[in-house]
Amino acid sequence: MDCFEKIEALVDAASADAIDRARVLLDQFDDKSQTIAQAIDDFLLDLMTLVFVIESTQEMFHYPARRLAHLKLTRIRLLLAS
């Protein structure tokens, strides 16, 4: 399982420890460029938001927040591929 598959599983689980685990997995890319570092920060912020939404709101808000985190992760993957 590659790094991004592990992070996708963390997004799907969206537990409090998912944020720290995703941060550790993404640390290996943080020094590639400022653009990638910003994309990682954006993703982590959305992951934190997702965890908050899941812990404190109705289920109807879970999917949009999870989708946003997946999109931000895709952005990181695309930036690293270019």
Side-chain angles (χ1 to χ4, degrees), residues 9-28:
L10 292 172
V11 170
D12 292 336
S15 62
D17 70 329
I19 299 161
D20 291 330
R21 293 172 63 194
R23 182 177 286 123
V24 168
L25 289 168
L26 290 169
D27 275 347
Q28 63 185 315

Side-chain angles (χ1 to χ4, degrees), residues 27-45:
D27 275 347
Q28 63 185 315
F29 307 116
D30 198 25
D31 61 349
K32 298 283 185 188
S33 74
Q34 183 60 33
T35 304
I36 292 173
Q38 183 62 50
I40 290 171
D41 288 345
D42 291 345
F43 165 75
L44 291 172
L45 180 60

Side-chain angles (χ1 to χ4, degrees), residues 12-78:
D12 292 336
S15 62
D17 70 329
I19 299 161
D20 291 330
R21 293 172 63 194
R23 182 177 286 123
V24 168
L25 289 168
L26 290 169
D27 275 347
Q28 63 185 315
F29 307 116
D30 198 25
D31 61 349
K32 298 283 185 188
S33 74
Q34 183 60 33
T35 304
I36 292 173
Q38 183 62 50
I40 290 171
D41 288 345
D42 291 345
F43 165 75
L44 291 172
L45 180 60
D46 287 340
L47 184 57
M48 288 179 221
T49 302
L50 171 62
V51 170
F52 173 78
V53 165
I54 287 176
E55 289 179 351
S56 63
T57 65
Q58 299 174 3
E59 191 170 328
M60 64 187 212
F61 296 112
H62 297 185
Y63 176 77
R66 184 171 277 119
R67 179 78 178 125
L68 183 59
H70 278 290
L71 288 172
K72 295 289 177 81
L73 184 59
T74 299
R75 180 174 179 234
I76 295 169
R77 187 178 296 156
L78 291 172

